[in-house]
Amino acid sequence: METLLTKKKQGAVVTDDGCYFSIHAPQINQIQLAIFNNDEPRFFDMKHTDGGAIHQCFIPNVTEDTQYSFCRKIKGSTQWLLDPCAKKVTRHPLCKKMLAAVTVKDQFDWQDVERPSIQRDETLIYELHAKGFSHLNRDLPEHLRGKFLGLCHPVMISHFKRTGVTTLQLMPIAASIDEAHLKSKKLTNFWGYNPVAWNAPDNRFAINDPVDELKTTVRELHREGIEVILDVVYNHTAESGEPGPVFHYKALDPLFYLHGYDGQFQNFTGCGNTIDLSHPPALKAVMDSLRYWVEEFKIDGFRFDLAATLGRRGECFDNAGGFFQTIYQDPVLSGIKLVAEPWDIGPDGYQLGHFPMGWLECNDKYRDTLRSYWHFNGQGLGEFATRIMGSRDIFSASVWPQKSSVNYITYHDGFTLQDLVSYQQKHNADNGEQNRDGHGDNRSCNHGVEGRTDNQSVVALRERQKRNLIASLLFSFGVPHLLAVDSLSHSQGGNNNAYCQDNNVSWPEWELDNNAKYFQTWMEAVISLRKQYMMPFIRAFSGAGRHTNRVEWLKQAGQPMEWQDWESERTIALHIGIGQDGNSLMILANPTADAASFSLLENQWELLLDTRQSSINKVAPKVVDNRFELIPHSMAILFQRGKAEHSL
């Protein structure tokens, strides 16, 4: 029977006796429910409630896996409307341009598997595309490649655990559609940042049932101690601007979208429309969606695409706005991981560091600084020092790890790591926009040859630069983010905006050449070194005890850096120590084309890694005396045990 709880939920709620349907549609006087049986619809009138804003009905004997749609009559024609709260979607039986919803009964055997609950400071994010990452992995059964279930197969779990990542960040997995301009070019929105149903896992990632298969995937990853966070798009929908298609909100409640002074949709997302979360029904829809993913799929957190949009009131950003306050007080959402892409393209759209307490933020300043330092002969030494120390000019160490930087070198948008060291220019001709799309400021370097080459000296330098960038990332303060395809040394052929390339441009090859094998093994070892050696420093330098530690910036001869040195020097030595006599780390960096000899002042340093080497000795670290030489374009990390450990 219907219950009060059921009546408060929008969309379709299956009970033991039938199904309750509800939709928010204040702009429509009369709306009907259509239930499809063998493509023949049965129509049901819906009753007005809540002052006419809510339309609802209860249909007995409706079970799960029933197709349905909402509709209204306009000038004698039927306008089909997709349930915006749909939990599963399928092709509309009567209208090829539309999708229909499918009822879902929320039940699943989680087998008492608990969430891993990885601490923020222990988190290592591994970003991947649910289809693309495993599509060419021939060690997987063919029917699982590119599917949700492929991600929890023992072959993939072995890869994740061997790599040492704690948290998978899945690129958008909610149902999305292709934009019109892509259809005309016979391309597809591979990345999925064009959502049409926020709550429905996309069918393209499933063998049969996307809901059950995604839940199974999350359960099995959790069983192995691996978290799952979703990249979510609540800043716009696939309805685009005024001339764009109508799927739901445009007809149901146009106030979902932010409007300008001329009555036109504001386009702060670059996608034609902008969700207005100062509109209470829009805020409710987003919050209901977030809770659904957490409660029914046990999702561990979210990365919010263009998150500045979510805090907008008109043209202004408010980090104390309704969206943030609602999450803060919500018992379901307040304890999960929240990651912001802290900008959009609207006015006052760059908000790095301005999100509320409890949010992690993707740090593009880190990305650009690290790229410039290693590719341009030590450019920006002072900012390099700031970024690897956790960007404390933006994220105070007093509140780490509750609010801290997500550090990254590469993300899904932009060059892969392999292309970052192999291409001077973007090569996006395959996207059909005359190479006009994609970021123009890549801070990349081809090291003498554009693209692939057999020149072994160029290849060796590229491999060393990859190691420099990843070693810097993994021994920086903050939460590291790795692009999963980088662990396979994947190249997109210089395409830095492969959003529409559902092909080998985006699918990494798993049969690796020797250089890729060496790099994969090396990266796994450095992640292990981070956990063993860097994590105690991250904890010691966070919060109230941060001022009790030692930090020294040194020149090659061992003298402290003076203010004028930050403009003239290119090499650097960072000495950090826990307390007054605890363990120490020394990070040496030489981004120049000349060798650099460093005076260490103290003896008995253990060499953890030297990027001149493509492998790491896992048996016993090499002991280094008071001098260490770096070859051109290389770095080293050394460790010294404190007095307390020596006395044990």
Side-chain angles (χ1 to χ4, degrees):
M1 296 294 293
E2 301 176 66
T3 65
L4 180 61
L5 178 62
T6 300
K7 285 187 175 183
K8 289 182 178 179
K9 294 185 177 180
Q10 292 182 19
V13 181
V14 178
T15 70
D16 292 338
D17 303 298
C19 188
Y20 173 80
F21 296 90
S22 175
I23 189 167
H24 175 82
Q27 301 293 318
I28 300 177
N29 292 325
Q30 185 60 51
I31 191 168
Q32 287 186 308
L33 167 72
I35 292 181
F36 301 101
N37 292 317
N38 299 320
D39 295 348
E40 290 297 324
R42 290 187 297 151
F43 293 94
F44 301 88
D45 292 332
M46 303 187 75
K47 298 177 182 179
H48 292 220
T49 63
D50 194 20
I54 303 296
H55 303 248
Q56 60 182 15
C57 64
F58 181 81
I59 310 299
N61 303 318
V62 172
T63 60
E64 60 183 325
D65 293 325
T66 298
Q67 297 181 22
Y68 70 97
S69 184
F70 299 113
C71 63
R72 67 170 177 171
K73 296 293 183 181
I74 300 180
K75 297 180 181 180
S77 299
T78 299
Q79 182 183 43
W80 297 104
L81 300 171
L82 174 66
D83 181 0
C85 300
K87 298 174 181 177
K88 191 188 296 187
V89 297
T90 188
R91 285 294 168 191
H92 198 286
L94 302 181
C95 178
K96 293 182 180 180
K97 295 181 179 180
M98 289 295 297
L99 294 171
V102 182
T103 59
V104 171
K105 192 166 187 179
D106 293 318
Q107 56 186 10
F108 183 75
D109 182 7
W110 288 95
Q111 300 177 2
D112 296 324
V113 174
E114 299 290 335
R115 286 192 175 94
S117 299
I118 306 295
Q119 296 297 313
R120 289 168 186 255
D121 55 8
E122 296 177 350
T123 301
L124 198 161
I125 297 172
Y126 198 58
E127 183 196 18
L128 58 86
H129 189 280
K131 174 185 177 180
F133 189 59
S134 68
H135 192 72
L136 296 181
N137 190 338
R138 295 168 184 83
D139 290 334
L140 283 175
E142 187 171 1
H143 70 287
L144 297 181
R145 298 173 195 167
K147 304 300 182 182
F148 287 135
L149 293 178
L151 296 177
C152 66
H153 186 275
V155 166
M156 294 301 294
I157 286 178
S158 175
H159 169 79
F160 299 142
K161 299 192 77 168
R162 187 176 64 249
T163 302
V165 298
T166 67
T167 306
L168 303 188
Q169 179 175 301
L170 304 185
M171 291 174 65
I173 54 89
S176 66
I177 63 167
D178 297 330
E179 297 90 336
H181 76 275
L182 291 178
K183 292 180 181 179
S184 66
K185 298 171 186 174
K186 298 183 179 180
L187 295 172
T188 185
N189 190 322
F190 173 64
W191 285 354
Y193 289 90
N194 199 42
V196 71
W198 285 330
N199 300 343
D202 202 304
N203 294 324
R204 63 181 168 150
F205 305 128
I207 302 168
N208 295 307
D209 184 342
V211 173
D212 186 76
E213 291 171 30
L214 178 58
K215 289 180 178 180
T216 300
T217 299
V218 174
R219 182 189 67 197
E220 296 311 305
L221 288 168
H222 280 180
R223 195 190 302 275
E224 299 296 331
I226 300 170
E227 291 183 319
V228 179
I229 65 177
L230 301 183
D231 192 335
V232 288
V233 185
Y234 294 114
N235 54 73
H236 77 284
T237 74
E239 291 191 300
S240 189
E242 284 84 351
V246 176
F247 294 109
H248 34 56
Y249 289 132
K250 276 185 181 177
L252 297 171
D253 184 3
L255 294 179
F256 256 76
Y257 300 115
L258 193 62
H259 293 261
Y261 299 113
D262 58 358
Q264 301 295 301
F265 288 158
Q266 291 292 291
N267 185 17
F268 297 157
T269 65
C271 302
N273 59 55
T274 302
I275 296 292
D276 183 5
L277 292 191
S278 67
H279 181 49
L283 178 60
K284 182 182 187 304
V286 170
M287 297 305 297
D288 286 350
S289 176
L290 290 171
R291 280 189 290 267
Y292 176 65
W293 287 114
V294 174
E295 291 180 320
E296 294 298 332
F297 290 84
K298 310 298 183 186
I299 293 302
D300 301 288
F302 301 95
R303 181 265 190 186
F304 293 86
D305 178 66
L306 300 182
T309 295
L310 307 180
R312 284 194 175 277
R313 296 190 182 197
E315 294 190 351
C316 299
F317 174 82
D318 182 2
N319 67 2
F323 172 70
F324 300 118
Q325 295 292 340
T326 305
I327 283 185
Y328 182 78
Q329 61 78 44
D330 191 289
V332 174
L333 302 177
S334 58
I336 64 171
K337 288 186 170 70
L338 304 170
V339 181
E341 183 183 41
W343 51 76
D344 64 18
I345 66 170
D348 198 28
Y350 189 74
Q351 295 294 333
L352 178 66
H354 296 158
F355 279 70
M357 187 64 66
W359 283 73
L360 305 173
E361 300 180 41
C362 300
N363 189 347
D364 63 322
K365 289 184 181 293
Y366 182 95
R367 173 199 66 197
D368 292 346
T369 298
L370 270 288
R371 290 181 178 190
S372 293
Y373 181 75
W374 284 111
H375 282 157
F376 306 142
N377 196 41
Q379 183 183 103
L381 175 61
E383 191 164 3
F384 172 79
T386 299
R387 299 298 153 234
I388 66 173
M389 283 300 296
S391 296
R392 291 184 292 179
D393 58 331
I394 303 171
F395 305 96
S396 171
S398 65
V399 294
W400 293 351
Q402 286 302 107
K403 180 177 172 61
S404 58
S405 170
V406 174
N407 300 327
Y408 64 99
I409 304 297
T410 54
Y411 229 91
H412 65 267
D413 50 348
F415 281 141
T416 65
L417 182 64
Q418 188 66 45
D419 287 352
L420 186 67
V421 300
S422 303
Y423 291 90
Q424 208 83 12
Q425 306 294 332
K426 60 181 180 177
H427 296 265
N428 297 356
D430 289 346
N431 297 352
E433 299 180 42
Q434 292 75 52
N435 207 36
R436 293 192 298 263
D437 64 307
H439 208 304
D441 181 17
N442 295 289
R443 309 192 187 194
S444 60
C445 182
N446 64 20
H447 299 95
V449 181
E450 187 75 351
R452 296 182 183 274
T453 180
D454 293 327
N455 186 319
Q456 291 306 303
S457 63
V458 172
V459 170
L461 178 54
R462 288 176 177 178
E463 291 300 312
R464 192 158 70 250
Q465 289 286 54
K466 287 163 57 180
R467 295 193 291 271
N468 289 333
L469 289 162
I470 295 300
S472 300
L473 172 67
L474 292 172
F475 276 82
S476 291
F477 289 86
V479 176
H481 168 286
L482 293 169
L483 184 61
V485 297
D486 288 345
S487 65
L488 305 175
S489 295
H490 176 62
S491 170
Q492 295 178 169
N495 192 322
N496 77 344
N497 189 35
Y499 77 103
C500 56
Q501 300 298 325
D502 189 4
N503 49 46
N504 287 51
V505 171
S506 299
W507 305 336
E509 178 56 67
W510 287 76
E511 295 181 2
L512 308 181
D513 63 23
N514 285 336
N515 283 326
K517 289 177 182 177
Y518 290 144
F519 180 74
Q520 183 182 53
T521 303
W522 177 91
M523 191 172 77
E524 293 167 358
V526 178
I527 290 173
S528 179
L529 290 175
R530 171 187 168 83
K531 292 180 179 180
Q532 180 178 354
Y533 291 96
M534 186 63 185
M535 283 307 306
F537 288 86
I538 291 174
R539 295 193 183 100
F541 278 71
S542 300
R546 66 194 183 282
H547 295 307
T548 64
N549 304 302
R550 293 162 284 144
V551 179
E552 294 180 287
W553 294 100
L554 307 171
K555 293 184 286 188
Q556 286 181 220
Q559 306 101 326
M561 293 279 287
E562 303 290 346
W563 66 268
Q564 66 271 17
D565 296 325
W566 292 103
E567 295 297 326
S568 59
E569 295 290 326
R570 294 293 180 264
T571 62
I572 193 73
L574 167 61
H575 177 207
I576 56 177
I578 297 175
Q580 296 306 305
D581 56 7
N583 292 345
S584 297
L585 277 178
M586 183 77 78
I587 299 176
L588 310 177
N590 175 24
T592 73
D594 300 314
S597 181
F598 288 85
S599 175
L600 304 181
L601 301 182
E602 300 177 13
N603 295 326
Q604 299 301 306
W605 288 92
E606 300 175 18
L607 177 63
L608 300 184
L609 69 87
D610 181 349
T611 60
R612 81 176 75 190
Q613 302 166 347
S614 61
S615 63
I616 292 175
N617 185 345
K618 298 181 181 180
V619 179
K622 178 182 177 182
V623 176
V624 178
D625 288 326
N626 63 349
R627 294 203 67 80
F628 191 85
E629 183 167 306
L630 287 179
I631 67 170
H633 307 294
S634 71
M635 70 179 294
I637 299 176
L638 298 87
F639 174 75
Q640 187 179 70
R641 300 187 185 279
K643 294 180 180 178
E645 286 204 19
H646 276 302
S647 64
L648 294 178

CSV table of all heavy atoms in Angstrom, one decimal, residues 48 56 165 197 223 313 359 439 467 548 558 583 633:
chain,number,residue,atom,x,y,z
A,48,HIS,N,-3.4,16.4,-9.0
A,48,HIS,CA,-2.6,17.5,-8.6
A,48,HIS,C,-2.5,17.5,-7.1
A,48,HIS,O,-3.5,17.3,-6.4
A,48,HIS,CB,-3.2,18.8,-9.0
A,48,HIS,CG,-3.2,19.1,-10.5
A,48,HIS,ND1,-2.9,20.3,-11.0
A,48,HIS,CD2,-3.4,18.2,-11.5
A,48,HIS,CE1,-3.0,20.2,-12.4
A,48,HIS,NE2,-3.2,19.0,-12.7
A,56,GLN,N,0.6,13.1,-9.2
A,56,GLN,CA,0.9,11.8,-8.7
A,56,GLN,C,-0.2,10.8,-9.0
A,56,GLN,O,-1.4,11.2,-9.2
A,56,GLN,CB,1.2,11.8,-7.2
A,56,GLN,CG,0.1,12.3,-6.4
A,56,GLN,CD,0.4,12.4,-4.9
A,56,GLN,OE1,1.6,12.4,-4.5
A,56,GLN,NE2,-0.6,12.6,-4.1
A,165,VAL,N,46.3,2.1,-5.5
A,165,VAL,CA,45.3,3.1,-5.4
A,165,VAL,C,44.3,2.8,-4.3
A,165,VAL,O,44.0,1.6,-4.1
A,165,VAL,CB,44.7,3.4,-6.7
A,165,VAL,CG1,45.7,3.9,-7.7
A,165,VAL,CG2,43.9,2.2,-7.2
A,197,ALA,N,19.5,11.8,-17.3
A,197,ALA,CA,18.9,11.2,-16.1
A,197,ALA,C,19.9,11.0,-15.0
A,197,ALA,O,20.7,10.1,-15.1
A,197,ALA,CB,18.2,9.9,-16.5
A,223,ARG,N,34.7,-4.9,-1.1
A,223,ARG,CA,35.2,-6.1,-0.4
A,223,ARG,C,36.8,-6.1,-0.4
A,223,ARG,O,37.4,-6.7,0.5
A,223,ARG,CB,34.7,-7.3,-1.1
A,223,ARG,CG,34.8,-8.6,-0.3
A,223,ARG,CD,34.5,-9.9,-1.2
A,223,ARG,NE,33.2,-9.8,-1.7
A,223,ARG,CZ,32.1,-10.2,-1.1
A,223,ARG,NH1,32.2,-10.7,0.2
A,223,ARG,NH2,30.9,-10.2,-1.7
A,313,ARG,N,24.3,32.2,-7.0
A,313,ARG,CA,23.0,32.9,-6.9
A,313,ARG,C,23.1,33.9,-8.0
A,313,ARG,O,23.7,35.0,-7.8
A,313,ARG,CB,22.8,33.5,-5.5
A,313,ARG,CG,22.8,32.5,-4.4
A,313,ARG,CD,22.4,33.2,-3.1
A,313,ARG,NE,22.4,32.2,-2.0
A,313,ARG,CZ,21.7,32.5,-0.8
A,313,ARG,NH1,21.1,33.6,-0.6
A,313,ARG,NH2,21.8,31.6,0.1
A,359,TRP,N,35.5,20.1,2.0
A,359,TRP,CA,35.6,19.9,0.6
A,359,TRP,C,37.1,19.8,0.2
A,359,TRP,O,38.0,20.6,0.6
A,359,TRP,CB,35.0,21.0,-0.2
A,359,TRP,CG,33.5,21.0,-0.2
A,359,TRP,CD1,32.6,21.2,0.8
A,359,TRP,CD2,32.7,20.6,-1.3
A,359,TRP,NE1,31.3,21.0,0.4
A,359,TRP,CE2,31.3,20.6,-0.9
A,359,TRP,CE3,33.0,20.2,-2.6
A,359,TRP,CZ2,30.3,20.4,-1.7
A,359,TRP,CZ3,31.9,19.9,-3.5
A,359,TRP,CH2,30.6,20.0,-3.0
A,439,HIS,N,42.2,22.8,-24.7
A,439,HIS,CA,43.0,23.8,-24.1
A,439,HIS,C,44.2,24.2,-24.9
A,439,HIS,O,44.9,23.3,-25.4
A,439,HIS,CB,43.4,23.3,-22.7
A,439,HIS,CG,43.6,24.4,-21.7
A,439,HIS,ND1,44.4,25.5,-21.9
A,439,HIS,CD2,43.0,24.6,-20.4
A,439,HIS,CE1,44.4,26.3,-20.8
A,439,HIS,NE2,43.5,25.8,-19.9
A,467,ARG,N,58.8,10.3,-14.9
A,467,ARG,CA,59.1,9.9,-13.6
A,467,ARG,C,59.3,11.2,-12.7
A,467,ARG,O,58.9,11.1,-11.5
A,467,ARG,CB,60.4,9.1,-13.5
A,467,ARG,CG,60.3,7.7,-14.2
A,467,ARG,CD,61.4,6.8,-13.9
A,467,ARG,NE,62.7,7.2,-14.5
A,467,ARG,CZ,63.1,6.9,-15.8
A,467,ARG,NH1,62.4,6.2,-16.5
A,467,ARG,NH2,64.3,7.3,-16.2
A,548,THR,N,55.7,22.3,14.9
A,548,THR,CA,56.7,21.7,15.7
A,548,THR,C,57.8,21.0,14.7
A,548,THR,O,58.8,20.5,15.2
A,548,THR,CB,56.2,20.6,16.6
A,548,THR,OG1,55.6,19.6,15.9
A,548,THR,CG2,55.2,21.3,17.6
A,558,GLY,N,74.2,23.8,0.0
A,558,GLY,CA,73.7,23.5,1.4
A,558,GLY,C,73.2,24.8,2.1
A,558,GLY,O,72.7,24.6,3.3
A,583,ASN,N,62.3,11.6,12.0
A,583,ASN,CA,62.7,11.3,10.6
A,583,ASN,C,62.8,12.5,9.7
A,583,ASN,O,62.0,13.4,9.9
A,583,ASN,CB,61.8,10.2,10.0
A,583,ASN,CG,61.9,8.9,10.7
A,583,ASN,OD1,62.9,8.6,11.4
A,583,ASN,ND2,61.0,8.0,10.5
A,633,HIS,N,67.8,17.1,-15.8
A,633,HIS,CA,66.4,16.8,-15.8
A,633,HIS,C,66.1,15.5,-14.9
A,633,HIS,O,65.6,14.5,-15.4
A,633,HIS,CB,65.9,16.5,-17.2
A,633,HIS,CG,66.2,17.6,-18.2
A,633,HIS,ND1,65.6,18.9,-18.1
A,633,HIS,CD2,67.0,17.6,-19.2
A,633,HIS,CE1,66.1,19.6,-19.0
A,633,HIS,NE2,67.0,18.9,-19.8
